[in-house]
Amino acid sequence: MGGGILGFIRSIYQLDTLDTRFTTPSSVPYKLAAEAKKDPVGAQEGGLSKGKRAERSKWSTPEFYLYYLVFLIVIPYMFWVPFEVSRESDPRYPKFQRYLSDGWMLGRKVDVSDSQLRTIRGKIPHIFGLLVVQPLLRRVWNLFKPTRLEPGASETSPRAAEARLEQRISFDAFFGTILLTALHGTSGLKILGLLWLNYQVATRLPRKVVPWATWIFNLYILVTMKVYDGYRFKTFVNLIPFAPDSLLDLASWMDNQQGLLNRWHILFNITILRLISFNLDYAWMTDRQGGSPIEKKQLDPANLSERDRVGTPAPKNNYSFRNYFAYAIYAPLYLAGPILTFNDYISQCRYKSASIELSRTVKYGIRCLLVLLAMEFVLHFNYANAISNARPDWSSYTPAQIALLSFFKLHIIWLKLLVPWRLFRFWALVDGIDPPENMLRCVSDNYSTLSFWRSWHRSFYRWTLRYIYIPLGGSNFKTLVSAAYSTVTYLAVFMFVAIWHDVDFQLLVWSWLIVAFFLPEIAAGYLFPRRKWEGRPTAYRVLCCVGAVGNVLMMISANVVGFGGGVDAMKALWEGLFRGLSGISFLTGSCLALFVGIQVMFEIRQSELRKGIDLKC
């Protein structure tokens, strides 16, 4: 019994439970990969050969036993320092006490001083309610609108796929309309208007100008919807010469009917990505000549690989306004994602993804609850946000306290994103759609700037690859000219990411810092290639680890600027670290601890390689 329970717990934390995309090559259909894994010969044929580049395990070596000892000392210390300054006995407690609220865990207060975090935490019961109600309503809808097939017809036949698509899309459009009205009230009309305008850009303009027009239109919306506070009705009416008072009164009334989430434009960023996805998928579909790509490649449409689901265009008649509307406001993913491309959405509406299994979905749901519990624990015992919001005299804090409060503030940002992303993806899985997992690794399990971007908000990363990075030509650092062009490409990607988050100079600085921190890592890869160190693997591992320590320090600095308090916060952090002997001692100890932690990160990835898994992050 005990072994069974431990085995179940281990299965909850397997990569396959998190997302089958992590254990199945993107070019291999999930069914084929699952069958291939059952025997070594099949694994070779399925492109799942194991451990070609993996090193021998180091978990039981004396070196790693020393690292375990360091972990036993350092990890509790890292939690204790911010907890100690969050206690009522701390003399600075009255300065940030007003930012705390009543909690439910061991008599502790809870720090929900971050407005976004407070909103997310307050809406979690509503999300769970929708997670139950929407799938049940779909079942009722399917009873009244069944898929009618001829006797003996296969459930994977083209006709059955069209019937399933019609059944799902009709419900998604119906439920999405209700959700849009409930969430945004009369502002739903603005969203509908923007969707219609974007659809006209895709379907009415000449093919050559569609990509440019799509980017210009959507960037314009990104900027102006915040500048003009969500396009208030009264603002438009004031532009009409001699507008009657009755029209102004109507506009004012409509501005006040804003639904449950009155600031619709704050959450519309994620929908912008879907609008761009539809337009570019549609434009690339029109470039296709001849018959269906599925027929040309002799693929099974009911068992496509993820790459084929994303890259294979739907039939032209599937790019209708109703299908586009249902995709743009698909309820489980509408507010925060993860991001699913239009082609992938249509494909999964036609054929249910084989990766959706009840046991896996249940385990994923349990993992969601554990993440929620972890967030609650941190918010009850670490008041990093409240301390920061109180604008304290940082000189009264030791370098260790400043550094670890900043460190945990980044973890709180990670948690407040992770919780809704996991819950919304769980809702989609329950509803029969498998979107990409957004968070692959804990924010602490990253040592590479490039890899960090691949694993943080992963669906957005994949979106930028498909719609920005690859169309711009990707990257090539073999010559100075190509390196300069590649740097411009990276700047274009991350400046869009910054503007997408918010029209804010602080975030633009963050985007420039990220690109600046990419360059040393890329240069190091060219200066110290692995092949030249094949005879000295340990020396190469130590060299990489030293560079990775610097990477981690740079990543922490960049994210403190972008999401943890700005340039002033980063300045205070580094000033504290170089303030006297105590600061330098802590920085030295931190670098040594990071060295140990990164060695463990290296070995985690080697363990994955030994299982035939290469996540490239």
Side-chain angles (χ1 to χ4, degrees), residues 216-228:
I216 291 170
F217 173 77
N218 283 282
L219 284 171
Y220 176 81
I221 296 303
L222 267 177
V223 174
T224 58
M225 70 181 181
K226 292 177 181 175
V227 171
Y228 293 103

Side-chain angles (χ1 to χ4, degrees), residues 440-457:
L440 169 52
R441 301 193 190 276
C442 174
V443 67
S444 294
D445 187 11
N446 289 278
Y447 56 83
S448 161
T449 314
L450 286 166
S451 298
F452 177 72
W453 172 236
R454 294 188 186 113
S455 65
W456 174 285
H457 206 169

Side-chain angles (χ1 to χ4, degrees), residues 155-170:
E155 291 186 359
T156 59
S157 66
R159 185 168 295 181
E162 281 296 324
R164 187 175 189 272
L165 176 69
E166 169 63 27
Q167 186 185 62
R168 285 195 65 91
I169 291 285
S170 59

Side-chain angles (χ1 to χ4, degrees), residues 234-356:
K234 193 171 183 179
T235 302
F236 287 108
V237 172
N238 283 329
L239 297 176
I240 303 173
F242 311 110
D245 291 342
S246 58
L247 189 59
L248 286 168
D249 291 339
L250 176 62
S252 297
W253 178 83
M254 292 180 71
D255 282 331
N256 291 327
Q257 311 305 311
Q258 296 298 300
L260 298 174
L261 300 175
N262 54 10
R263 303 188 70 198
W264 68 273
H265 54 288
I266 301 299
L267 298 168
F268 194 67
N269 292 24
I270 198 79
T271 306
I272 289 281
L273 302 181
R274 289 190 280 267
L275 303 193
I276 295 172
S277 173
F278 173 83
N279 282 22
L280 296 185
D281 282 0
Y282 177 81
W284 293 334
M285 179 274 297
T286 61
D287 293 337
R288 298 275 185 169
Q289 301 293 327
S292 166
I294 291 178
E295 293 176 0
K296 287 181 179 180
K297 297 179 182 179
Q298 297 183 331
L299 301 173
D300 177 6
N303 189 29
L304 294 176
S305 68
E306 194 210 5
R307 182 179 298 174
D308 287 326
R309 285 204 317 262
V310 172
T312 303
K316 188 173 183 178
N317 65 330
N318 286 165
Y319 292 85
S320 65
F321 183 80
R322 187 198 62 166
N323 291 3
Y324 156 71
F325 175 75
Y327 161 70
I329 61 168
Y330 176 57
L333 307 182
Y334 170 67
L335 289 175
I339 304 152
L340 196 68
T341 68
F342 179 78
N343 287 345
D344 198 356
Y345 170 75
I346 292 295
S347 178
Q348 292 198 50
C349 283
R350 286 173 167 277
Y351 302 98
K352 183 178 178 179
S353 174
S355 60
I356 298 178

Side-chain angles (χ1 to χ4, degrees), residues 42-62:
Q44 296 277 346
E45 295 173 353
L48 300 166
S49 56
K50 292 189 176 183
K52 288 183 178 178
R53 294 184 290 122
E55 300 171 1
R56 185 176 297 177
S57 175
K58 302 177 186 66
W59 294 119
S60 298
T61 61

